[in-house]
Amino acid sequence: MVEPSDRELWTRSRAGDGNAFGRLFERHATTIYNYCFRRLGDWTAAEDALSVVFLEAWRRRDADVRADKVLPWLYGIATNVLRNYARSRRRFAAALRRMPTPSAEPDFAEDADRRLDDARQMKRVLAAVRQLPQREQDVVTLCVWMELSYEDTANALGVPVGTVRSRLSSARARLPELFGRTGHEQEEDSATQEVAGP
Amino acid sequence: MNDQKLIPPLRGLTDKRLQARKAHLLAEIGSDPPRRPRRQMPHHPRGLRVALVLVVVCGAIGGVLVTKNATAPTVNSKTTARGTASAQLRRLRQNGILALPAHVARKRIHLDDASAVLGAPIVLPRTSLVVPSDSHTIWGVGECPKHPGRAREPASGCRISVLFPAHSLSVTYRVSTSRQPLAVYRSYLRDKGVNGKIIDLDGTPALMIKTSQPGRPRSRPLYWLSFVVNRIQVDVVGLQSASTLKAVARSIVGPMR
């Protein structure tokens, strides 16, 4: 069976088709989940953020979205959600409380270790990147870490492509120094102490 | 940038977690009551947005004259008029140009009906800059008659705003309650301390004020020119030079006499 395109799913979602929206969720959940993790440095928080992003997307489904740009639009929503994460969480606090507690899952020790390492590593990187202005952090995360094109990044952030280029250029110029300043090569403890909360 | 290798690789949710999140999402959106589709706002080109600003400015400032004139005799009523004007201007600054539809009733009308709606003849400008066919949108703002043909009196609570977005210009017509506009202009200049002066348009006194665009104090100045001919107050507002605006005003004054 041919998978329906984003365009088709989005059109149906806008008309109120929850199942189509569910398909979109399945399709893009991993991408947005990883984006949330790369902004927050915490897998558990990223999972909640993922739900908040899609609940927010559903709330804003009347917005004019180019049907072939659903993913960049979701990135845009995620960026806003993460920028005001505490506020966004409050908005959907009741919904998140209704999320069933995870049932006991097999504990793959190796995977759990890897995720723990990921979080430590991510927090060290974020300690450096968070010294950039917010607008440059957005561009670095989307363009470099999530490998979005300039056009899609511009679409997600609602700015011209030229602005994306200039912000990225400015960030590229500063990051090596910031990584040096945060002691990226230092011991993990000293690096994690520098991490500010999201 | 060499930080790509520093980023942990992509990892997915376990299938179970993904399905649990999806089920939760579907349950949440399923309880969301269906919405009515949002009304699409028409797209206004930049010129039209500027013209809308002009209409609002015109309404806010021009309204002062009408209100002030109607209530001028007592000190208290004068204060009220000032309060109303400042409140209008404050709203303008706070809410921007889109405040207009929320606070003022308006209806788009056809040029052919404009005179009938106002209850008095309307003359559009005709200069080297602008001709009547350049008019883009015409609004009946305020309490305009629903059946203009039946009205016996000119509609005093109604104003007709004609937008020339390509020229960043608007012309507004309303019935004047002032018998002595010159006195009103003088009083306005004295009381408000605005950057303005009284000029002569071939024998018709007019008030010309230079001001800044709402919310954009450093941008190109806005000129507002107001005069009364045959009991119709005409307000010409634009981002043009003072001399251009005078020429526009003269092209209206002559035929309206």
Side-chain angles (χ1 to χ4, degrees):
Chain A
M1 196 178 78
V2 181
E3 271 286 295
S5 63
D6 272 10
R7 175 191 293 269
E8 189 184 335
L9 289 175
W10 177 245
T11 308
R12 281 166 46 196
S13 301
R14 286 196 70 174
D17 182 345
N19 288 327
F21 193 67
R23 295 282 289 276
L24 274 176
F25 173 82
E26 277 186 340
R27 187 171 291 176
H28 298 301
T30 302
T31 311
I32 298 299
Y33 171 55
N34 278 276
Y35 177 60
C36 294
F37 169 71
R38 288 174 177 189
R39 300 302 301 254
L40 297 171
D42 182 322
W43 287 113
T44 310
E47 201 177 318
D48 272 352
L50 169 69
S51 288
V52 171
V53 168
F54 275 86
L55 286 169
E56 183 68 18
W58 178 256
R59 197 175 73 86
R60 294 198 211 164
R61 65 188 181 278
D62 288 342
D64 283 328
V65 182
R66 271 177 56 185
D68 56 338
K69 295 288 181 193
V70 175
L71 184 58
W73 180 70
L74 287 171
Y75 270 121
I77 289 192
T79 304
N80 287 330
V81 161
L82 297 169
R83 197 174 286 161
N84 304 296
Y85 188 53
R87 197 176 66 191
S88 302
R89 265 192 75 94
R90 271 200 302 277
R91 169 173 283 160
F92 295 107
L96 290 174
R97 273 197 300 273
R98 287 192 287 268
M99 176 73 202
T101 316
S103 56
E105 289 184 50
D107 178 20
F108 299 110
E110 197 182 332
D111 185 58
D113 278 352
R114 272 205 299 261
R115 284 178 183 261
L116 211 57
D117 286 343
D118 288 349
R120 286 178 187 144
Q121 187 181 348
M122 199 65 233
K123 282 183 177 175
R124 283 201 294 269
V125 175
L126 285 174
V129 172
R130 281 185 181 143
Q131 293 178 61
L132 292 172
Q134 182 72 52
R135 56 184 185 275
E136 290 178 11
Q137 292 179 37
D138 293 343
V139 171
V140 167
T141 319
L142 290 170
C143 268
V144 183
W145 297 351
M146 301 311 292
E147 300 180 342
L148 248 68
S149 67
Y150 288 148
E151 191 200 347
D152 283 351
T153 302
N155 207 299
L157 299 177
V159 297
V161 173
T163 306
V164 171
R165 286 180 193 276
S166 62
R167 287 180 186 174
L168 189 58
S169 167
S170 167
R172 279 181 198 278
R174 283 195 61 203
L175 271 176
E177 181 210 340
L178 295 178
F179 278 126
R181 198 191 297 168
T182 51
H184 196 68
E185 274 79 35
Q186 287 174 14
E187 289 300 310
E188 150 196 317
D189 286 347
S190 60
T192 45
Q193 277 168 10
E194 294 180 54
V195 175
Chain B
M1 200 180 308
N2 61 358
D3 56 338
Q4 179 66 70
K5 65 179 185 294
L6 305 174
I7 306 302
L10 297 178
R11 298 197 194 283
L13 283 166
T14 62
D15 196 45
K16 201 169 178 181
R17 294 296 301 152
L18 184 67
Q19 291 309 320
R21 286 282 167 184
K22 183 184 169 187
H24 170 251
L25 177 69
L26 293 182
E28 289 300 324
I29 67 178
S31 61
D32 191 14
R35 291 191 215 163
R36 285 186 304 174
R38 201 158 82 179
R39 211 175 124 199
Q40 296 289 313
M41 293 297 286
H43 173 72
H44 297 307
R46 186 181 173 278
L48 186 55
R49 288 201 300 272
V50 171
L52 273 174
V53 172
L54 304 187
V55 170
V56 177
V57 170
C58 190
I61 305 176
V64 176
L65 293 185
V66 172
T67 317
K68 186 179 172 106
N69 188 57
T71 57
T74 67
V75 174
N76 286 341
S77 57
K78 202 169 175 178
T79 310
T80 308
R82 271 192 215 172
T84 307
S86 66
Q88 283 174 318
L89 286 168
R90 196 164 51 244
R91 259 203 311 268
L92 257 180
R93 293 195 185 100
Q94 286 170 352
N95 299 341
I97 59 169
L98 293 179
L100 178 64
H103 301 288
V104 186
R106 64 173 188 172
K107 186 182 176 189
R108 202 168 166 167
I109 57 176
H110 194 271
L111 178 60
D112 296 341
D113 301 328
S115 294
V117 170
L118 188 65
I122 280 177
V123 174
L124 296 181
R126 185 182 292 277
T127 67
S128 57
L129 171 81
V130 58
V131 293
S133 60
D134 293 336
S135 63
H136 181 278
T137 319
I138 302 169
W139 294 104
V141 184
E143 296 162 17
C144 297
K146 287 181 183 170
H147 306 288
R150 297 180 204 165
R152 292 178 186 174
E153 290 285 314
S156 59
C158 169
R159 64 179 195 263
I160 305 294
S161 286
V162 185
L163 310 187
F164 299 89
H167 305 289
S168 299
L169 181 80
S170 84
V171 185
T172 300
Y173 306 80
R174 73 186 82 199
V175 176
S176 171
T177 52
S178 169
R179 291 178 190 279
Q180 296 178 310
L182 187 58
V184 175
Y185 300 156
R186 284 184 181 138
S187 147
Y188 186 79
L189 285 176
R190 190 180 58 240
D191 294 349
K192 296 289 174 186
V194 292
N195 181 8
K197 60 182 177 181
I198 295 168
I199 61 168
D200 178 72
L201 294 174
D202 304 329
T204 300
L207 175 64
M208 176 174 264
I209 288 179
K210 182 182 179 184
T211 182
S212 56
Q213 295 177 47
R216 303 174 66 193
R218 292 184 183 176
S219 57
R220 203 149 46 122
L222 191 68
Y223 282 94
W224 167 52
L225 210 159
S226 181
F227 55 90
V228 176
V229 191
N230 278 341
R231 287 195 62 214
I232 300 299
Q233 179 184 325
V234 183
D235 298 288
V236 182
V237 185
L239 296 176
Q240 318 297 332
S241 68
S243 57
T244 306
L245 232 60
K246 278 186 213 170
V248 169
R250 282 201 173 94
S251 75
I252 299 171
V253 169
M256 276 185 78
R257 277 202 184 114

